[in-house]
Amino acid sequence: MSASTLLHFPAGFQWGAATSAYQIEGAHDEDGRSPSIWDTFARQPGRVLEGHTGDVACDSYHRIEEDVALLKQMGAKVYRFSVAWPRVVPSGRGAVNAKGLDYYSRLVDALLAADIQPMVTLYHWDLPQCLQDEGGWEVRETAHAFVAYAEAVFKALGDRVRQWITLNEPWCSANLSNQIGEHAPGQRNHQATLAVAHHLLLAHGLTVRRFRELKLPGEIGMAPNVDWREPYSQSQADIDACRRGLEWFNNWYLDPIYFGHYPEEMLERYAELGARPPVQDGDMAIIASPTDFLGINYYTGSYTLAPDVPPQLKRSGDAKAELAALLGASTVDVPGFELTDIGWAIYPEGFYRVLLWLRDRYGNPPVYITENGACYNNGPDGDGRVRDNKRIAYCQRHLIAMHRAIRSGCNVRGYTLWSLLDNFEWAWGYTMRFGLVHVDFATLERRPKDSFHWFASVIRRNAVEPGEAGRLAF
Ligand code: JJW
């Protein structure tokens, strides 16, 4: 491969890796941390595979030096991590816990000493359980409690952190958690889902405003997960179904931020079931407060088709059927595409398409790819090496798609790969591995995989080699 065939990224491109608090920290009851909804959820039988919890996770709470050394070895320019609300404000609102903040302050110092920029997520799903006991995100007061917590973090770290993310993947915190029921708190209720989504968005907007009032240097944005859907056929029914599927998954969180309103068609379909977002005067303007960038988490996509769901299934108690009826849409894996070990279709074309869609629909905002990566569960071979060539192929193909999107004018500024470490993959526990670094959960030993070294070379050259993957469309 001659150097001239390398696909180069813009100068100063922000390469790095991402994690989140509950998935890696462990130390669940140390230094004043209170339980989060995930501590509670993981202890309920049947919620998480094998009954795994985040009690110990990767023990990153005690391993700042080791984790930062790995990032340094990788050549990361940025490390995206999240702050745990239950460490910083254990009672949800009120007293700030200096010990909890101190951990993040030491982490930020260690990163800066290694010349790695911290990118801080304020909410990555670990709501204090005590607030859930008062209704959690279903109640409006939680948005105000969030702003107070965020302000405590701004004041402690704002002198050193220049990139802030309010919410990670609000679709997961609202829909996956309250409509599908697979994540904490684990219920299935359309009205609760819309209330949670609205109060999350309100918390986002209020936090952006508080950030501006504090006149802190740096930038702030949100990191929704998006996917890409193609109509299964060119029938009008499938095209319409696909549009609704995207409204439900992507637009529900993006239209309010960029346009100040929810998607009309889905609003109407929810209303038919008696569900509506609890919008008060002025909320939508708060939610649409200008942000500095858009974080995007992209993993997969699917084909969407209009299902033949009888109306009586709308309240049948069968979650999948109910959802299909609500949306008038269901999805199938893109035919013929390989799946990763977690069962998600490998669809780099969708990454390109969704970036173009964001460019055109939302005025080409600055974008950071805050997550992208692949689940492959193979561990060390006899010689100790982790040959995760499939993860390399996945990431390579997505970097080629991202490169093409940049050439097509998308304003992509950086890419933090999910994840630095194998970690607690929510309802899948430790059974699903996304790390560039293998973690032995018995010994907590870290071992860089082949993909780690591959990614280090991408960062070093600020370029990806097209190779075999590039000779295929992606
Ligand atoms: C969708 C399942 C029915 C995490 C989903 C399930 C059923 C329509 C990975 N991103 O661990 C999306 N992750 O913490 C944040 N992202 O639907 C970080 N999205 O759907 C990673 C799971 C996810 C999902 C999982």
Side-chain angles (χ1 to χ4, degrees):
M1 177 73 45
S2 73
S4 61
T5 63
L6 288 177
L7 304 176
H8 287 272
F9 290 90
F13 200 77
Q14 266 207 50
W15 298 102
T19 62
S20 89
Y22 189 70
Q23 294 178 276
I24 66 162
E25 287 177 1
H28 70 108
D29 58 358
E30 284 183 44
D31 295 336
R33 181 187 180 279
S34 68
S36 79
I37 55 175
W38 269 93
D39 295 273
T40 307
F41 190 72
R43 280 170 173 68
Q44 294 169 357
R47 295 296 204 175
V48 176
L49 278 185
E50 322 236 357
H52 289 161
T53 73
D55 288 3
V56 178
C58 306
D59 193 38
S60 287
Y61 191 74
H62 300 118
R63 293 169 192 245
I64 288 178
E65 273 184 33
E66 203 176 341
D67 289 350
V68 173
L70 285 165
L71 288 158
K72 183 76 184 161
Q73 187 189 344
M74 187 195 296
K77 315 278 186 211
V78 55
Y79 178 46
R80 175 177 179 236
F81 63 91
S82 82
V83 172
W85 185 348
R87 288 198 195 283
V88 174
V89 186
S91 52
R93 57 172 65 87
V96 173
N97 176 29
K99 274 189 177 170
L101 273 173
D102 181 61
Y103 163 65
Y104 298 107
S105 187
R106 285 184 289 116
L107 174 58
V108 166
D109 284 344
L111 289 166
L112 293 176
D115 206 18
I116 299 165
Q117 289 300 314
M119 178 184 248
V120 176
T121 307
L122 290 163
Y123 187 71
H124 203 122
W125 311 352
D126 44 2
L127 182 73
Q129 178 62 41
C130 52
L131 290 183
Q132 185 64 43
D133 296 340
E134 297 171 18
W137 288 108
E138 283 181 63
V139 300
R140 195 175 169 90
E141 290 70 33
T142 300
H144 295 291
F146 180 79
V147 183
Y149 147 69
E151 181 165 346
V153 181
F154 288 150
K155 287 184 169 159
L157 308 181
D159 57 335
R160 287 158 290 162
V161 172
R162 294 291 175 271
Q163 289 180 305
W164 299 94
I165 292 166
T166 53
L167 310 174
N168 181 70
E169 299 188 352
W171 180 89
C172 288
S173 316
N175 303 70
L176 191 56
S177 303
N178 298 281
Q179 190 168 37
I180 298 170
E182 286 180 13
H183 279 190
Q187 62 173 332
R188 295 213 325 251
N189 178 321
H190 296 308
Q191 181 55 44
T193 301
L194 295 189
V196 167
H198 186 68
H199 296 137
L200 282 165
L201 286 166
L202 186 64
H204 159 83
L206 290 167
T207 302
V208 170
R209 290 200 170 178
R210 184 63 53 88
F211 180 75
R212 306 286 185 223
E213 285 160 13
L214 291 170
K215 300 205 183 308
L216 290 166
E219 39 183 31
I220 190 163
M222 194 177 79
N225 45 334
V226 298
D227 67 4
W228 190 241
R229 290 152 195 251
E230 302 275 342
Y232 186 77
S233 78
Q234 286 305 302
S235 75
Q236 195 58 47
D238 285 353
I239 290 170
D240 292 345
C242 185
R243 188 184 59 247
R244 288 190 296 270
L246 283 172
E247 280 197 359
W248 174 68
F249 199 91
N250 292 359
N251 303 30
W252 198 263
Y253 299 94
L254 288 164
D255 285 10
I257 287 192
Y258 287 101
F259 305 148
H261 57 73
Y262 286 105
E264 278 301 323
E265 197 174 348
M266 277 311 301
L267 262 184
E268 283 167 23
R269 292 184 82 98
Y270 275 118
E272 283 169 26
L273 296 177
R276 41 185 63 78
V279 182
Q280 296 188 8
D281 278 354
D283 283 4
M284 298 315 288
I286 292 169
I287 291 168
S289 301
T291 51
D292 301 305
F293 64 86
L294 176 61
I296 285 298
N297 296 358
Y298 177 87
Y299 289 92
T300 189
S302 55
Y303 279 10
T304 297
L305 63 154
D308 194 12
V309 182
Q312 64 267 25
L313 278 183
K314 283 191 181 180
R315 291 175 189 277
S316 64
D318 173 340
K320 258 191 124 170
E322 273 191 20
L323 194 56
L326 166 69
L327 297 174
S330 60
T331 58
V332 292
D333 284 335
V334 181
F337 282 48
E338 256 182 80
L339 309 181
T340 61
D341 283 353
I342 204 168
W344 300 348
I346 303 171
Y347 191 29
E349 172 89 21
F351 191 27
Y352 176 70
R353 299 264 164 230
V354 83
L355 288 171
L356 258 55
W357 177 79
L358 293 165
R359 177 195 70 182
D360 296 339
R361 184 173 177 86
Y362 299 112
N364 205 15
V367 166
Y368 293 98
I369 307 307
T370 36
E371 287 182 28
N372 174 244
C375 175
Y376 287 107
N377 293 324
N378 57 307
D381 291 332
D383 60 359
R385 230 175 100 185
V386 185
R387 291 173 172 79
D388 59 338
N389 50 312
K390 289 185 173 175
R391 177 174 290 100
I392 295 173
Y394 176 101
C395 294
Q396 185 186 26
R397 293 171 71 192
H398 284 77
L399 291 188
I400 292 166
M402 181 172 79
H403 184 270
R404 184 175 169 207
I406 293 170
R407 291 191 64 130
S408 299
C410 296
N411 198 356
V412 185
R413 304 269 174 95
Y415 176 97
T416 43
L417 199 150
W418 185 271
S419 176
L420 176 65
L421 303 165
D422 291 340
N423 59 47
F424 178 81
E425 184 48 46
W426 307 112
W428 285 280
Y430 299 99
T431 67
M432 293 294 159
R433 296 174 177 270
F434 280 83
L436 294 168
V437 176
H438 182 269
V439 177
D440 178 331
F441 289 106
T443 64
L444 300 171
E445 188 192 341
R446 279 104 160 113
R447 183 189 299 268
K449 305 178 187 179
D450 282 2
S451 59
F452 176 98
H453 302 293
W454 168 81
F455 193 51
S457 79
V458 168
I459 297 175
R460 198 168 52 243
R461 298 193 288 198
N462 195 32
V464 64
E465 257 181 44
E468 273 307 308
R471 280 191 275 280
L472 310 168
F474 284 111

